[in-house]
């Protein structure tokens, strides 16, 4: 009897577990894996991946110290890899997942890439693009937000923000 109950329970659990759909959380976890590479290398732990049709086409993590290049942010590295992979300078059907709100430089690069969607985890109150964008309620009331991204780009914030922010916090706490 116990064996039958165990088999029935296992069958029920198996039916309840669906193959995970490629969600924003799934892809952000992939970006977090990239951020962990930066963390392990002593870099500020920011990671990014770019997807098209629910497939990862490029990855990147901060390599500023390693390359001695202040522009070697995760987003820039992922964008360059995606451009090379596709043989194109535009990404109108792609989505980038970034563990931290992009800085103004990276937001500019994302603008010029014409990327379809930007999804990020933790907010960056010190260096994120929002620090440099003045609120414009009169524009926002008619559906125009003063963002440094292409007008067709959708921005989604706070995906796994605690996990993304926790890695940054742990990094700087260890540096003190």
């Amino acid at each position: 009897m116990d064996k039958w109950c165990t088999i029935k329970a296992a069958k029920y659990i198996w039916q309840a577990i669906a193959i995970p759909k490629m969600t924003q959380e799934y892809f952000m976890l992939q970006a977090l894996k990239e951020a962990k590479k930066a963390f392990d290398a002593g870099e500020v732990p920011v990671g990014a991946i770019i997807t098209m049709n629910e497939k990862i086409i490029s990855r990147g993590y901060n390599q500023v110290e390693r390359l001695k290049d202040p522009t070697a942010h995760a987003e820039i590295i992922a964008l360059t890899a995606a451009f090379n992979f596709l043989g194109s300078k535009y990404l109108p059907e792609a989505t980038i997942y970034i563990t931290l709100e992009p800085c103004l430089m990276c937001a500019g690069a994302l603008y010029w890439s014409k990327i379809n969607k930007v999804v990020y985890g933790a907010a960056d109150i010190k260096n994120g693009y929002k620090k440099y964008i003045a609120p414009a309620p009169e524009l926002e009331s008619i559906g125009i937000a003063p963002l440094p991204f292409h007008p067709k780009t959708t921005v989604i914030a706070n995906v796994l923000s605690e996990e993304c922010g926790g890695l940054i916090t742990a990094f700087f706490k260890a540096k003190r």
Side-chain angles (χ1 to χ4, degrees):
M1 189 88 161
D2 286 339
K3 185 177 180 182
W4 182 82
C5 288
T6 304
I7 292 169
K8 188 174 181 182
K11 184 177 178 184
Y12 174 76
I13 291 169
W14 178 255
Q15 289 173 344
I17 299 172
I19 296 172
K21 190 175 179 186
M22 300 303 169
T23 63
Q24 290 176 349
E25 290 78 12
Y26 170 81
F27 288 121
M28 189 59 74
L29 285 172
Q30 301 308 305
L32 269 166
K33 287 181 183 178
E34 295 301 308
K36 180 73 168 81
K37 291 177 187 177
F39 184 95
D40 293 342
E43 300 274 357
V44 175
V46 178
I49 63 159
I50 296 179
T51 64
M52 279 183 65
N53 301 319
E54 296 189 343
K55 293 183 181 155
I56 298 171
I57 63 168
S58 70
R59 300 171 182 271
Y61 62 91
N62 272 2
Q63 297 182 43
V64 171
E65 301 302 326
R66 177 179 174 213
L67 299 176
K68 311 251 183 298
D69 178 356
T71 68
H73 291 196
E75 301 93 314
I76 302 298
I77 292 170
L79 282 169
T80 300
F83 298 143
N84 289 328
F85 177 77
L86 295 173
S88 173
K89 63 182 179 178
Y90 299 123
L91 303 170
E93 297 172 13
T95 299
I96 188 167
Y97 294 85
I98 315 159
T99 58
L100 188 66
E101 176 187 334
C103 70
L104 202 54
M105 174 189 71
C106 291
L110 291 164
Y111 174 92
W112 290 109
S113 76
K114 299 183 181 181
I115 198 152
N116 181 52
K117 192 182 294 182
V118 174
V119 180
Y120 68 87
D124 185 356
I125 57 171
K126 290 185 181 179
N127 296 305
Y129 75 87
K130 287 182 185 175
K131 177 180 177 180
Y132 304 99
I133 304 302
E138 63 281 354
L139 293 177
E140 292 172 12
S141 68
I142 58 171
I144 301 171
L147 295 176
F149 301 106
H150 191 272
K152 292 182 181 178
T153 299
T154 303
V155 179
I156 299 171
N158 302 316
V159 175
L160 298 181
S161 61
E162 287 184 24
E163 294 83 348
C164 295
L167 190 58
I168 295 280
T169 302
F171 176 79
F172 286 109
K173 191 177 255 188
K175 289 284 183 189
R176 291 183 190 132

